[in-house]
Amino acid sequence: MNKPIPLHQRRRRTMALLASALLGVATCSYGSLVAQPVAAPAKYMLMKIRLTVDGQTAIASLYDNATARDFASMLPLILTMEDYDSIERVSNLSRKLSTQGAPAGMTPEAGELTHYAPWGNLAIFIEPRSYSRSLLPLGKVDEGLSILARPGPYKLRIERVTP
């Protein structure tokens, strides 16, 4: 028969599990804390898209959120991409996208596809930048960012990748 675990050990284990959940740490068998890297939250993917410039192709994944679904409903698109602040390529869309359930803003990474809600444009980040309010996540370039990093203006065709 199993012997009951003393209260002080249950409390220690409970606190270690709580710390693990809140701080992204793991517990070893003795209940001490061991630092572990905290993984970025998973972003669920909606679909793959193809971005073509002068016959060269980049592939990206759209996130599964209302803004990205609204963007996907506009495909295929042909846009003229312009340089903006040397770290992003932007183009106006024919309409603003849904902001339902969107975050207040984001800190984009290189390769991030975004929608800047106030201007209603698509922005592809070539380099990371600091937090920007009203910048909404659409997706991420999986391969071929260098194709999109060329100086603008250039024509970009965006379409769904069919399985």
Side-chain angles (χ1 to χ4, degrees):
M1 184 170 200
N2 292 338
K3 158 170 117 170
I5 299 172
L7 180 61
H8 72 281
Q9 287 181 347
R10 286 192 312 234
R11 284 183 182 156
R12 180 185 296 155
R13 188 166 34 193
T14 300
M15 293 305 290
L17 290 172
L18 180 60
S20 175
L22 294 175
L23 301 174
V25 295
T27 59
C28 71
S29 60
Y30 299 105
S32 61
L33 299 178
V34 180
Q36 297 291 320
V38 177
K43 294 180 181 174
Y44 297 100
M45 299 303 162
L46 175 65
M47 72 174 62
K48 295 281 187 181
I49 58 172
R50 181 180 301 112
L51 302 100
T52 306
V53 180
D54 293 333
Q56 295 184 303
T57 301
I59 300 294
S61 298
L62 292 183
Y63 300 140
D64 190 7
N65 62 46
T67 309
R69 285 190 296 275
D70 195 14
F71 178 72
S73 74
M74 299 175 74
L75 300 180
L77 285 173
I78 297 178
L79 303 171
T80 300
M81 303 303 290
E82 304 275 344
D83 296 346
Y84 184 79
D85 197 22
S86 75
I87 65 167
E88 56 186 292
R89 304 299 178 261
V90 300
S91 183
N92 291 327
L93 297 173
S94 60
R95 62 177 171 80
K96 291 183 178 183
L97 300 176
S98 170
T99 59
Q100 180 182 2
M106 64 180 285
T107 304
E109 301 173 2
E112 201 98 41
L113 279 69
T114 64
H115 175 61
Y116 187 58
W119 294 352
N121 68 8
L122 170 70
I124 301 172
F125 281 85
I126 307 308
E127 298 177 23
R129 76 160 277 166
S130 58
Y131 178 86
S132 180
R133 185 166 181 75
S134 300
L135 187 65
L136 309 179
L138 291 177
K140 180 91 172 162
V141 175
D142 300 322
E143 57 186 76
L145 182 58
S146 62
I147 294 165
L148 306 170
R150 67 180 61 187
Y154 60 81
K155 293 283 185 199
L156 173 66
R157 178 174 172 80
I158 306 172
E159 59 194 339
R160 295 171 189 245
V161 172
T162 52

